Amino acid sequence: MKTLILIRHAKSSWDLPIEDFKREITLSGKEKSIKVAKKTIDDVNSDVTIWCSYARRTKQTAKIFLENWNLNQNIIEIKKELYTFDASKLEVIVKSCLNDCQKLILFGHNSAITDFVNKFGDIYIDNVPTSAFVSIIFYCNNWSDIKKGKTNKIIVPRDI
């Protein structure tokens, strides 16, 4: 069995004319991420693999979650290829995970996350909002074999 947790980065600012990957999260985004992280603390432990897009907003979001989960920031693996908005590219990345990993947490972007969740989960989500947490269980032993899984948990800031 494999568990995949997808977390969309916190709300980011469009105030400054900077490159997309350099955008930072807003104060509201930080507050919502803290709420979701505290609500999901029982869903994580130190025996996880954590991958994060190299975009500033995803790294900031990941750090907030790890702080609130009481996990060491050093376990975050930054993956440039996670800076994608394409679910098929996200699928390739997930399927590349080593099989000794039982629980993978990804911090990434829409629309890749929403499209991935709707392809591989069993609950349709119109849009995975910023700072949202979606957990999918796959009943297989190899990440490369994942098919339709069971959406185990959906936590969105507005429901807390």
Side-chain angles (χ1 to χ4, degrees):
M1 184 170 79
K2 304 291 185 193
T3 302
L4 175 64
I5 295 171
L6 296 140
I7 300 170
R8 184 174 170 199
H9 64 78
K11 179 74 176 159
S12 58
S13 174
W14 290 91
D15 292 343
L16 299 174
I18 58 175
E19 293 176 84
D20 181 70
F21 71 91
K22 291 182 179 178
R23 289 191 295 118
E24 296 195 1
I25 63 173
T26 63
L27 179 58
S28 169
K30 180 178 180 178
E31 292 168 351
K32 289 177 180 180
S33 289
I34 290 169
K35 284 183 183 180
V36 174
K38 288 182 177 188
K39 182 81 171 172
T40 57
I41 193 166
D42 293 334
D43 295 289
V44 297
N45 56 40
S46 60
D47 190 27
V48 295
T49 298
I50 299 177
W51 291 350
C52 180
S53 160
Y54 85 115
R56 184 173 290 154
R57 61 192 180 273
T58 51
K59 292 188 288 187
Q60 290 174 320
T61 304
K63 287 180 181 180
I64 291 167
F65 273 80
L66 269 66
E67 284 172 7
N68 286 278
W69 288 338
N70 300 311
L71 294 178
N72 189 319
Q73 304 286 318
N74 295 334
I75 66 173
I76 300 171
E77 185 178 341
I78 304 300
K79 291 193 162 278
K80 191 169 185 174
E81 62 269 27
L82 278 174
Y83 182 69
T84 183
F85 310 97
D86 182 332
S88 62
K89 290 180 181 174
L90 185 58
E91 179 180 343
V92 169
I93 296 163
V94 170
K95 288 184 173 184
S96 74
C97 187
L98 298 177
N99 291 323
D100 60 346
C101 169
Q102 301 307 312
K103 186 178 281 188
L104 175 60
I105 300 174
L106 295 181
F107 289 87
H109 307 272
N110 244 7
S111 66
I113 288 179
T114 296
D115 294 344
F116 185 97
V117 164
N118 288 328
K119 178 177 181 178
F120 288 97
D122 64 345
I123 297 174
Y124 179 81
I125 302 172
D126 187 47
N127 179 54
V128 175
T130 52
S131 299
F133 172 108
V134 180
S135 174
I136 302 173
I137 297 173
F138 297 101
Y139 298 97
C140 61
N141 293 319
N142 299 310
W143 286 101
S144 60
D145 296 335
I146 64 169
K147 293 182 176 37
K148 199 73 161 173
K150 171 147 183 56
T151 304
N152 184 46
K153 185 175 276 191
I154 303 167
I155 304 291
V156 297
R158 72 175 174 268
D159 294 340
I160 300 173

